């Protein structure tokens, strides 16, 4: 079965262009140009990926993303007219997986769509075949920190901590590779499915994570900065 993509965009020409190009790639395509209609479609059809415009009638893309994120885990790629870093950060906070700024080339968009779908497939395959360092009970324990992979739950001193989906995935990726210096590029590719990014997405998420799991976020002991490379999880 080809992946199902929901496009949410109120500019008719862009919507039609996206629909045409995605169908040409063999994807099954659903479209909506109104926030509430999009929500209904997403609930009904559970698309494998959602392309989501920010400025929409009915309900803006951020609000829609926030609601969708609680209900489905499919990647959400936001489309925005603003190259604004703030917009990008808000998008990541509400749970978007990737971000593309208008005007974009169709080639770039298709590459990002493909990367997101590939990332989901790899993660699913990894869940089916657990990697060596994951114990049978699917729990990773580092001192007072416990990551329950199946339940997607993090406990600090036995208290559950609320993590955004990407914060959890990032922590899990770092923890599974404990003691190894991981480059920002590798982290981006494995956690977000991106192959390049000039922003500080990884750094921002590491900062958020440190604020939650480090006793002293400014003097990190768990997630160590590796100069010129990226980060290393120490446990
Ligand atoms: Ca719009």
């Amino acid at each position: 079965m080809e992946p199902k993509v929901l496009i949410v965009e109120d500019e008719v020409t862009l919507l039609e262009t996206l629909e045409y190009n995605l169908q040409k790639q063999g994807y099954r395509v659903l479209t909506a140009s109104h926030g509430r209609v999009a929500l209904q479609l997403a609930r009904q059809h559970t698309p494998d990926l959602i392309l989501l415009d920010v400025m929409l009638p009915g309900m803006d893309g951020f609000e829609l993303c926030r609601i969708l994120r609680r209900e489905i885990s499919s990647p959400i790629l936001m489309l925005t007219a603003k190259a604004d870093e703030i917009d990008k950060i808000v998008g990541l906070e509400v749970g978007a997986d990737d971000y593309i700024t208008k005007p974009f080339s169709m080639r770039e968009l298709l590459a990002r769509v493909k990367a997101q779908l590939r990332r989901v497939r790899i993660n699913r395959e990894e869940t089916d075949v657990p990697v060596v360092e994951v114990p049978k009970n699917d729990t990773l324990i580092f001192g007072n920190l416990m990551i329950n992979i199946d339940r997607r739950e993090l406990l600090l001193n036995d208290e559950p901590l609320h993590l955004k989906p990407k914060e959890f995935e990032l922590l899990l990726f770092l923890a599974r590779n404990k003691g190894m210096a991981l480059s920002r590029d590798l982290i981006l590719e494995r956690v977000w499915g991106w192959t390049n990014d000039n922003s500080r997405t990884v750094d921002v998420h590491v900062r958020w994570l440190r604020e939650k799991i480090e006793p002293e976020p400014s003097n990190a002991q768990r997630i160590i900065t590796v100069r010129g490379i990226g980060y290393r999880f120490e446990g």
Side-chain angles (χ1 to χ4, degrees), residues 11 110-111 175:
E11 287 164 45
L110 293 173

Short mmCIF file of all heavy atoms in Angstrom, two decimals, residues 11 110-111 175:
data_model
loop_
_atom_site.label_atom_id
_atom_site.label_comp_id
_atom_site.label_asym_id
_atom_site.label_seq_id
_atom_site.Cartn_x
_atom_site.Cartn_y
_atom_site.Cartn_z
N GLU A 11 -4.20 27.82 -0.12
CA GLU A 11 -3.91 28.44 -1.42
C GLU A 11 -4.16 27.38 -2.49
O GLU A 11 -3.41 26.40 -2.58
CB GLU A 11 -2.45 28.90 -1.50
CG GLU A 11 -2.16 30.13 -0.66
CD GLU A 11 -0.67 30.32 -0.45
OE1 GLU A 11 0.09 30.19 -1.44
OE2 GLU A 11 -0.28 30.56 0.70
N LEU A 110 9.52 17.13 -1.84
CA LEU A 110 9.38 15.68 -2.03
C LEU A 110 10.48 14.93 -1.28
O LEU A 110 10.24 13.86 -0.70
CB LEU A 110 9.40 15.33 -3.52
CG LEU A 110 8.19 15.85 -4.32
CD1 LEU A 110 8.39 15.61 -5.81
CD2 LEU A 110 6.89 15.21 -3.85
N ALA A 111 11.68 15.51 -1.25
CA ALA A 111 12.79 14.87 -0.52
C ALA A 111 12.48 14.80 0.97
O ALA A 111 12.73 13.79 1.63
CB ALA A 111 14.08 15.64 -0.77
N ALA A 175 20.37 7.80 24.68
CA ALA A 175 20.54 6.78 25.71
C ALA A 175 20.94 5.43 25.11
O ALA A 175 21.74 4.70 25.69
CB ALA A 175 19.25 6.64 26.52
#
